[in-house]
Amino acid sequence: MNSMEFLSSEEIYLYNRGELYKSYTKFGAHILEEDSKLGTHFVVWVPNAAAVHVVGDFNDWCAAQNTMAEVGTTGVWTLFIPEIVRGLYKFEIHTKTGDVLLKSDPFAFCSELRPLTASRIYSLEGYQWLDQDWILRRETSQPKEKPLAIYEVHLGSWRRKVDGSFYHWLDFAEELLNYVVSMGYTHIELLPVMEHPYDGSWGYQVTGYYSCSSRYGTPHDFMYFVDCCHQAGIGIILDWVPGHFCKDAHGLGKFNGSSVYEKDEHAQWGTYNFNFSKTEVWSFLISNAVFWFEKFHIDGLRVDGVSSMLYLDFEKPDKAWEHNSYGGRENLQAIAFMQRLNEVVFQHYPGVLMIAEESTAWPLVSYPPYVNGLGYNYKWNMGWMNDTLRYMQLDFSRRKDYHHLLNFSLTYAFSENFVLPLSHDEVVHGKRSLLEKIPGDYWQKFAGLRNLAGYLMGHPGKKLMFMGGEFAQFIEWRHDAGLDWLLLDYDLHKKYQEYVRRINKLYQQEKAFWENDHDWSGFEWIDADNNGQSILVFCRRAKNLHDCLVVVINFQPVSYENFRIGVPQRGIYQEILNSDNERFGGSNHLNPAPLVAEKVKWHGRIFSLRIKLPPLATVIFKPQYKYKLRRGGSNVCKQRKF
């Protein structure tokens, strides 16, 4: 079999143009087991090389035995070995300056466990998926109209075995999955699982974009994990890093002795930035996104560091960058790349999530490219996160002067489709855990943390919480140790976990929280400006606007026996959540009986309620559309509908 029977000239042309969107089916190492095509095929892109060889276990790492041939001047090198070979391999690249480099395969499906660096010949075929019902529902649904409560996980530090070693995918398929289901989350977001050499990078400095990290098992083991999650009704989102990659010698950097994949260095991160002016980089990265959806059935990508791709001067000193062709600072090639990326992904997988971590005011991030948007369907709301956490750390006496930090986010809440992130970045590098950010005594810290979680749940936008936040981890996150699960032996931590479980499940039950989440018709301020008492009152609505919730949040350690709030309609209101419930660690200052809205004007509304409002508490009321109202002491009841 010659190489062109496996990889056509048209496919090479498309790869060079940036339009071969399933490059992984041809590039890398592929075992062919048909009788007429028995053997192993290798393909790699190395422009301007003097020679390229395949070396590995099968030839005793001897370059002379397996020399690759370049196809024309395309930079694409191929080799067909007419036998099935197994084991480890690399590409030996001879540069035109006389250097010899040993490089891992950019398209390898499996790699050695660090500190070893070779690629491993591996076939992804053979797994029998059982998640067809999940995939069908996903592809025919509208993500914006569904609940999205994400549990963000760093696999290496969620739990460790007694001897300190990593859990296996099979362990995660049981313990992590069961935990997430019990806690009421809808999705798991995994910090990067692509192969990376340094644990301290948390996976964000990648060497093997197509390799599922060998830390936790094989690629088939990861398939099993995803499959189990889908069968249990849990989606999987992967962190993905298309902006930059690490400098390790076996990786993509200086692939032919000079810049191939990279444009320049990211000094702060110690990495190389991808060069988006090279269309082969488009083929490589867009194919990689498609790869994780196709081969591993994942449900979304959270795209890391979008801001670093958008701006030519991102975290660079003056005169260390060049303006674009229009004299601006925008990276036009990166913008075009992201637009094409999202067009391709949604063309193949219309029901998935493409979530941008974008920290600036760049417009139209979650709008389609045909209106000049970037094409994502979600963006992390970093403004909400920064303002809210800044407010929550203020001493109670100062909060009245910073009330705008709570309500400002609603001035732009519907300008994008947002995810509200309480992520790993906020509980590391001296920022302290969420619990430690909260002021006050021990009880007030937990009450304040319940308020933070309540505000997260009530505010428009999908939800994300980093692991450990759900049971009030005390110390900062450490990537090299498991979470402090022993804290669940302590009453307030156990009760706080129960509170998070309750609000997650309430969130899924109540359409008003998520069905109409991206439009003003789904949100209504009742009282946005009570800075004197540090209280917010607002209404959330489903598409059926009568299906609504009234949310009251008291950010001060002061309680009120008769606090009046305006409500959107007459009727009977039932308290469906009170963070001050003793089962959650509160003082049990509750509204257990149904409350009848009185015709007393308040907050600009005709009807209002008198409620008990606990200190540092989130209280949610729901109108009861059908109820029995006892009149004048009579035992005769009459049905009322509202």
Side-chain angles (χ1 to χ4, degrees):
M1 176 184 179
N2 65 51
S3 295
M4 298 312 294
E5 292 179 36
F6 177 75
L7 177 68
S8 70
S9 58
E10 180 183 6
E11 288 170 325
I12 295 174
Y13 171 75
L14 291 174
Y15 184 82
N16 289 143
R17 280 180 56 88
E19 297 176 2
L20 190 64
Y21 300 136
K22 292 189 177 182
S23 306
Y24 52 87
T25 63
K26 296 301 175 73
F27 283 69
H30 293 272
I31 296 173
L32 308 178
E33 298 191 70
E34 299 177 22
D35 290 340
S36 61
K37 301 176 182 178
L38 191 66
T40 309
H41 211 291
F42 295 87
V43 180
V44 65
W45 177 58
V46 197
N48 299 314
V52 182
H53 308 268
V54 181
V55 296
D57 291 340
F58 55 90
N59 62 12
D60 294 324
W61 299 88
C62 178
Q65 294 186 35
N66 297 110
T67 301
M68 305 185 78
E70 184 177 11
V71 181
T73 58
T74 62
V76 175
W77 298 72
T78 69
L79 170 69
F80 179 71
I81 300 176
E83 61 181 282
I84 294 177
V85 296
R86 306 286 185 182
L88 304 175
Y89 71 103
K90 283 188 177 182
F91 294 114
E92 182 176 295
I93 299 167
H94 294 240
T95 75
K96 291 185 175 180
T97 59
D99 294 324
V100 177
L101 310 175
L102 274 177
K103 291 289 187 177
S104 300
D105 182 358
F107 284 90
F109 297 149
C110 190
S111 303
E112 282 188 292
L113 178 63
R114 52 89 181 100
L116 303 176
T117 60
S119 301
R120 188 180 301 277
I121 298 171
Y122 192 95
S123 173
L124 295 176
E125 304 306 314
Y127 184 81
Q128 299 298 314
W129 289 90
L130 299 175
D131 64 348
Q132 291 82 5
D133 290 345
W134 168 273
I135 297 296
L136 179 62
R137 289 194 303 271
R138 186 189 74 187
E139 298 308 308
T140 56
S141 67
Q142 292 292 331
K144 291 198 298 184
E145 298 176 5
K146 298 293 183 182
L148 181 59
I150 302 167
Y151 186 58
E152 188 188 31
V153 174
H154 175 258
L155 292 167
S157 57
W158 184 70
R159 282 189 190 272
R160 289 284 182 98
K161 294 183 178 180
V162 175
D163 62 2
S165 62
F166 291 133
Y167 266 38
H168 188 278
W169 285 119
L170 304 184
D171 301 316
F172 292 126
E174 182 175 348
E175 293 190 35
L176 175 59
L177 175 56
N178 289 340
Y179 181 72
V180 167
V181 170
S182 73
M183 288 298 297
Y185 291 101
T186 65
H187 289 67
I188 301 169
E189 180 175 315
L190 300 175
L191 271 63
V193 300
M194 302 79 188
E195 197 60 80
H196 53 282
Y198 176 47
D199 291 6
S201 77
W202 314 336
Y204 289 98
Q205 296 189 11
V206 180
T207 49
Y209 276 81
Y210 290 81
S211 287
C212 183
S213 177
S214 51
R215 288 165 174 80
Y216 314 114
T218 70
H220 279 83
D221 295 330
F222 180 48
M223 292 177 188
Y224 174 78
F225 170 75
V226 175
D227 201 2
C228 289
C229 288
H230 286 173
Q231 292 178 61
I234 300 297
I236 298 296
I237 301 167
L238 300 184
D239 265 9
W240 186 57
V241 192
H244 64 105
F245 57 91
C246 73
K247 294 181 177 180
D248 289 53
H250 67 285
L252 298 178
K254 307 295 182 184
F255 202 72
N256 66 354
S258 61
S259 297
V260 175
Y261 289 89
E262 68 269 34
K263 179 180 182 182
D264 51 21
E265 297 186 19
H266 193 297
Q268 183 179 5
W269 295 341
T271 55
Y272 289 125
N273 294 316
F274 273 107
N275 187 346
F276 293 107
S277 67
K278 291 189 176 180
T279 47
E280 291 89 352
V281 169
W282 288 35
S283 285
F284 176 77
L285 288 174
I286 294 175
S287 293
N288 188 239
V290 173
F291 168 80
W292 292 102
F293 288 114
E294 180 182 26
K295 294 299 184 180
F296 294 95
H297 291 205
I298 66 156
D299 304 286
L301 293 174
R302 176 266 194 187
V303 182
D304 179 69
V306 169
S307 300
S308 71
M309 293 187 277
L310 287 173
Y311 298 99
L312 294 168
D313 62 343
F314 184 82
E315 296 188 356
K316 293 179 181 177
D318 292 342
K319 299 182 180 179
W321 58 280
E322 296 180 2
H323 292 83
N324 63 34
S325 57
Y326 298 100
R329 55 196 282 257
E330 300 82 9
N331 188 334
L332 302 179
Q333 290 84 10
I335 294 165
F337 160 76
M338 285 187 272
Q339 290 174 325
R340 179 69 60 80
L341 161 73
N342 289 312
E343 286 175 337
V344 171
V345 167
F346 289 125
Q347 178 184 356
H348 288 89
Y349 304 98
V352 301
L353 303 167
M354 291 294 290
I355 305 170
E357 186 217 12
E358 205 291 299
S359 57
T360 73
W362 187 279
L364 306 179
V365 172
S366 59
Y367 286 71
Y370 62 76
V371 295
N372 205 32
L374 293 182
Y376 296 95
N377 54 0
Y378 281 98
K379 170 183 173 174
W380 271 21
N381 193 336
M382 309 294 278
W384 173 88
M385 179 273 297
N386 284 315
D387 285 350
T388 299
L389 292 183
R390 181 184 171 198
Y391 179 89
M392 295 303 299
Q393 294 176 77
L394 292 170
D395 187 80
F396 304 121
S397 63
R398 301 181 62 203
R399 288 185 171 183
K400 61 183 176 61
D401 297 322
Y402 291 88
H403 195 72
H404 62 281
L405 294 175
L406 292 176
N407 57 29
F408 177 69
S409 58
L410 266 299
T411 65
Y412 61 85
F414 308 110
S415 63
E416 301 275 5
N417 302 325
F418 281 121
V419 172
L420 308 179
L422 294 177
S423 75
H424 64 279
D425 279 327
E426 310 318 314
V427 293
V428 74
H429 296 327
K431 295 180 181 178
R432 299 177 295 166
S433 69
L434 293 180
L435 182 65
E436 278 292 272
K437 294 179 194 289
I438 308 297
D441 59 28
Y442 192 66
W443 187 92
Q444 290 171 335
K445 281 181 174 293
F446 277 89
L449 194 60
R450 292 194 297 272
N451 251 3
L452 174 60
Y455 187 42
L456 167 71
M457 205 57 56
H459 192 287
K462 307 307 184 185
K463 324 299 177 186
L464 179 144
M465 181 177 289
F466 184 55
M467 63 182 197
E470 81 282 6
F471 63 80
Q473 174 95 1
F474 246 132
I475 64 174
E476 281 192 340
W477 170 51
R478 303 152 298 173
H479 76 272
D480 54 357
L483 296 175
D484 293 325
W485 295 98
L486 57 84
L487 291 174
L488 291 174
D489 293 335
Y490 296 87
D491 193 50
L492 280 179
H493 291 272
K494 186 69 175 177
K495 288 183 174 180
Y496 179 74
Q497 183 193 49
E498 177 59 28
Y499 172 68
V500 173
R501 177 184 288 111
R502 172 60 183 143
I503 62 174
N504 283 345
K505 294 187 175 181
L506 182 68
Y507 168 73
Q508 290 201 52
Q509 293 165 9
E510 297 294 340
K511 291 183 178 181
F513 279 133
W514 45 262
E515 190 180 52
N516 203 14
D517 210 23
H518 304 89
D519 188 88
W520 271 110
S521 60
F523 179 90
E524 179 184 351
W525 278 120
I526 294 175
D527 187 5
D529 302 315
N530 186 352
N531 65 309
Q533 295 172 297
S534 303
I535 293 172
L536 293 179
V537 188
F538 55 87
C539 177
R540 297 299 312 275
R541 296 183 187 275
K543 285 190 172 181
N544 173 2
L545 298 182
H546 291 291
D547 183 358
C548 66
L549 302 171
V550 176
V551 181
V552 188
I553 309 180
N554 177 10
F555 290 94
Q556 291 289 351
V558 179
S559 62
Y560 303 90
E561 285 298 316
N562 291 285
F563 189 82
R564 188 171 289 276
I565 60 171
V567 291
Q569 59 201 43
R570 64 175 181 165
I572 286 182
Y573 287 75
Q574 184 70 51
E575 181 181 271
I576 62 171
L577 179 80
N578 190 323
S579 68
D580 196 52
N581 194 310
E582 63 180 356
R583 65 184 281 212
F584 306 140
S587 57
N588 224 36
H589 203 67
L590 310 178
N591 297 275
L595 302 174
V596 180
E598 302 171 300
K599 197 172 183 180
V600 176
K601 291 184 178 180
W602 208 260
H603 292 144
R605 284 152 181 81
I606 296 174
F607 294 92
S608 60
L609 295 178
R610 286 186 303 159
I611 67 170
K612 292 181 180 179
L613 185 58
L616 295 171
T618 299
V619 186
I620 301 177
F621 298 93
K622 183 173 184 176
Q624 308 300 300
Y625 302 123
K626 293 183 178 181
Y627 68 92
K628 294 184 177 181
L629 178 63
R630 199 175 296 276
R631 291 176 174 270
S634 168
N635 288 327
V636 178
C637 296
K638 185 177 181 180
Q639 286 280 345
R640 285 287 186 94
K641 296 181 181 180
F642 300 98

